[in-house]
Amino acid sequence: MGGAIVEGLLKSHYVDAESICVSDASADAVKRFADKGVKTTTDNCVAAKSGDMVIVVVKPWLVERVLLQVKDVMDYGRQQLVVVAAGIKGEQLKTWMQKDGQLPAMHLAIPNIAIAQLASMTFLVAVATESQHTEQVVALFDSMGKTIITDEQHLAAGTTLASCGIAYAMRYVRAASEGGVELGFKADQAKDIVLQTMEGAVKLLQATGLHPEAAIDLVTTPGGVTIKGLNEMEHNGFTSAVIRGLKAGAK
């Protein structure tokens, strides 16, 4: 996810490459960004000193270790912190980042990997901040997709709906592509057909504002093949499977 965010920043041109500093324990992991003009380091403290916004993107069990590592070099009056990790609570951030009775401006963020293509759905929770700080973080993530400000109560739901959800959408692409092969298309051609069809469905809903069911009604004729296909999917629990999968991912 960290690499995807950097890729998105570079494509969005929201900040210049030389204004970005990326840290990873492996020099090989960040070499591709160095080749694009990004500052790189294997020292988290060096990276944490350099920016106005410090974005920590690590596995949840590493968040505390990394934050305790960089807090002493951070300037709380100048810098703000964004943590991208599932399951981390705001109260944990406040405990870990206390320094001389002060806290930096802090947010929790959950994007998805489409951020690398400027198409993320990002959820943002303000932890300890003022409105202008939130506006700055929203502007950054909006340059790489869309951002919703939410509360911690809904962050897990947002994660399964959009961050995990991108994998669920890809599973549909795989299933439909395999169906296309069975119907006689070559694998790559079937995938392209499904991707273009999904893009068309998304753009149609965005342009018209129609409820999905109302849009479905536009292409289902009485006794037609579309309604037969939809009903067969429902007989096999399509909608129920999607909802149950989302709920399982939110647990």
Side-chain angles (χ1 to χ4, degrees), residues 106-188:
M106 296 188 293
H107 291 83
L108 288 165
I110 299 291
N112 64 35
I113 58 172
I115 200 166
Q117 304 303 324
L118 310 184
S120 177
M121 179 69 260
T122 300
F123 295 86
L124 190 68
V125 174
V127 176
T129 185
E130 297 179 4
S131 60
Q132 69 268 26
H133 296 132
T134 299
E135 290 170 2
Q136 291 167 1
V137 180
V138 168
L140 180 79
F141 283 101
D142 272 354
S143 74
M144 299 178 284
K146 292 187 177 181
T147 309
I148 289 179
I149 300 173
T150 187
D151 52 37
E152 284 194 48
Q153 180 181 350
H154 291 89
L155 197 56
T159 299
T160 192
L161 195 58
S163 187
C164 302
I166 200 166
Y168 305 153
M170 290 175 180
R171 179 57 60 88
Y172 170 78
V173 172
R174 189 188 79 173
S177 298
E178 289 177 350
V181 172
E182 188 168 343
L183 291 170
F185 293 102
K186 292 184 177 180
D188 286 344

Side-chain angles (χ1 to χ4, degrees), residues 83-99:
V83 174
V84 178
I88 299 300
K89 304 298 184 184
E91 287 304 315
Q92 290 176 296
L93 295 187
K94 291 177 181 179
T95 298
W96 296 333
M97 295 304 293
Q98 280 280 354
K99 183 169 69 174

Side-chain angles (χ1 to χ4, degrees), residues 17 33 51 146 169 182 202 242:
F33 298 121
K146 292 187 177 181
E182 188 168 343
V202 169
V242 172

